[in-house]
Amino acid sequence: MIAINEIFVVAFALIGAFFSIVAALGLIRLPDIYTRAHAASKSATLGVMSILISVIIFFVTEEGLFSSRTFLGILFVLTTAPIGSHLIARAAYYSDVPLWKGSVQDDLSKNKEHVMPKKRVNRDN
Amino acid sequence: MPFQLMLNAFLAVLWMFLSNSFTTSSFIVGYLLGLIAMFAMRRGFSSRFYLGPVIALVRLSIRFLYELVVANIEVLAVILKPRLDIQPGIFAYETTLKKNWEITLLSMLITLTPGTLVVDISDDNKTLYIHALHMPEADEAVAAIRNSFEKAILEVSR
């Protein structure tokens, strides 16, 4: 007989591993850095989260101890992963990394004009 | 809102002293009784009764987890499809949110929801520049989702 908690542990671990593989495949397949940031931020977050959830369920049911550090790990991954990918995309954009074949580029036309002079001012100082 | 939380905890401690039993369960009983008393006296507070924002926050986080799963399935479909038929692009989005933490929360939610990634926030905190994975369908549907997110955040902070 397979207990129901084992089903949950295995399911969450498999889902997490699968989404991690998808994130890695996305890094290989997608064309430019911005679309890669999509794959890295979303799939990796959910992958790591469900692996950690499976760890929590396993230790609660098998050993009877609730590891609060794993729970904190989920919270930290959830809060820091989007900010990391946002900062990487932003740094890439302002170092003039080109988009793949973007159809609409508002940022390029409007905001860059008024950020670039500030950059120059900073360089002079 | 923090004042109401403090007041409720104070009322719970007061109940523990009145009933002379210093246990967790008597704290919880006192907290619930204090909640009822504060709900009866809610017109005396300058801000609104604090359970509303708390419930809105819980609903926002449930919504957020749901959107995270949907986003992953969407990215999965894009990556595993044999032909790469995406049309990425960056569009500007005007936000009505004012405070810094609201904008941070909104951009985190946008980054973890289907097909969008915040690239930049303008200096006056009014425009978010969002990279969309698939431009034609993302433009309107995502703006609708985003409006509901903004409404939910306003519900929390109002």
Side-chain angles (χ1 to χ4, degrees), chain A residues 19-20 23 39-49 77, chain B residues 72:
Chain A
F19 275 112
S20 304
S41 67
K42 295 182 185 86
S43 305
T45 308
L46 191 68
V48 172
M49 256 181 70
V77 166
Chain B
N72 271 285

Side-chain angles (χ1 to χ4, degrees), chain A residues 13-27:
Chain A
L14 281 181
I15 289 171
F18 178 67
F19 275 112
S20 304
I21 292 174
V22 166
L25 274 181
L27 288 187

Side-chain angles (χ1 to χ4, degrees), chain A residues 18-19 22 26 29 34-35 37-38 42-43 46 79 82 85-86 90 93-94 100 102-107 111 118, chain B residues 64 71-72 75-76 79 81-82 84 86 88-90 92 108 111 113 115-120 123 129 131 133 135:
Chain A
F18 178 67
F19 275 112
V22 166
R29 260 204 92 190
Y34 308 102
T35 47
H38 278 276
K42 295 182 185 86
S43 305
L46 191 68
T79 47
S85 68
H86 157 67
R90 187 174 189 276
Y93 192 84
Y94 286 118
W100 176 50
S103 47
V104 182
Q105 301 176 4
D106 254 335
D107 201 345
N111 194 36
K118 204 174 71 184
Chain B
F64 169 64
N72 271 285
V75 169
L76 182 77
I79 291 172
K81 211 186 270 181
L84 199 65
I86 54 172
I90 295 176
M108 277 178 64
T111 300
T113 49
T116 48
L117 178 86
V118 176
V119 175
D120 198 8
D123 290 341
Y129 295 95
H131 184 269
L133 202 55
M135 224 34 206

Side-chain angles (χ1 to χ4, degrees), chain A residues 5 9 52-67 70:
Chain A
N5 57 342
V9 169
L52 288 180
I53 287 172
S54 119
V55 167
I56 286 181
I57 296 175
F58 177 80
F59 276 106
V60 164
T61 53
E62 298 286 311
E63 316 265 327
L65 55 91
F66 177 74
S67 101
T70 319

Side-chain angles (χ1 to χ4, degrees), chain B residues 21-122:
Chain B
S21 74
F22 300 98
T23 56
T24 313
S25 57
S26 78
F27 182 83
I28 292 171
V29 170
Y31 197 90
L32 293 177
L33 289 175
L35 204 63
I36 293 169
M38 282 174 64
F39 184 70
M41 303 285 178
R42 67 187 177 280
R43 297 191 62 180
F45 300 118
S46 54
S47 57
R48 67 186 178 133
F49 187 58
Y50 80 95
L51 267 195
V54 170
I55 290 170
L57 195 64
V58 170
R59 274 166 63 191
L60 185 65
S61 37
I62 290 171
R63 179 86 197 269
F64 169 64
L65 285 178
Y66 169 74
E67 293 285 347
L68 182 62
V69 174
V70 170
N72 271 285
I73 292 169
E74 203 157 288
V75 169
L76 182 77
V78 166
I79 291 172
L80 296 185
K81 211 186 270 181
R83 274 184 61 237
L84 199 65
D85 55 353
I86 54 172
Q87 291 176 318
I90 295 176
F91 64 94
Y93 171 73
E94 306 284 329
T95 180
T96 53
L97 297 177
K98 292 283 187 296
K99 294 177 195 133
N100 279 335
W101 69 267
E102 292 170 349
I103 295 170
T104 311
L105 187 61
L106 181 69
S107 54
M108 277 178 64
L109 290 173
I110 290 171
T111 300
L112 286 180
T113 49
T116 48
L117 178 86
V118 176
V119 175
D120 198 8
I121 298 169
S122 67

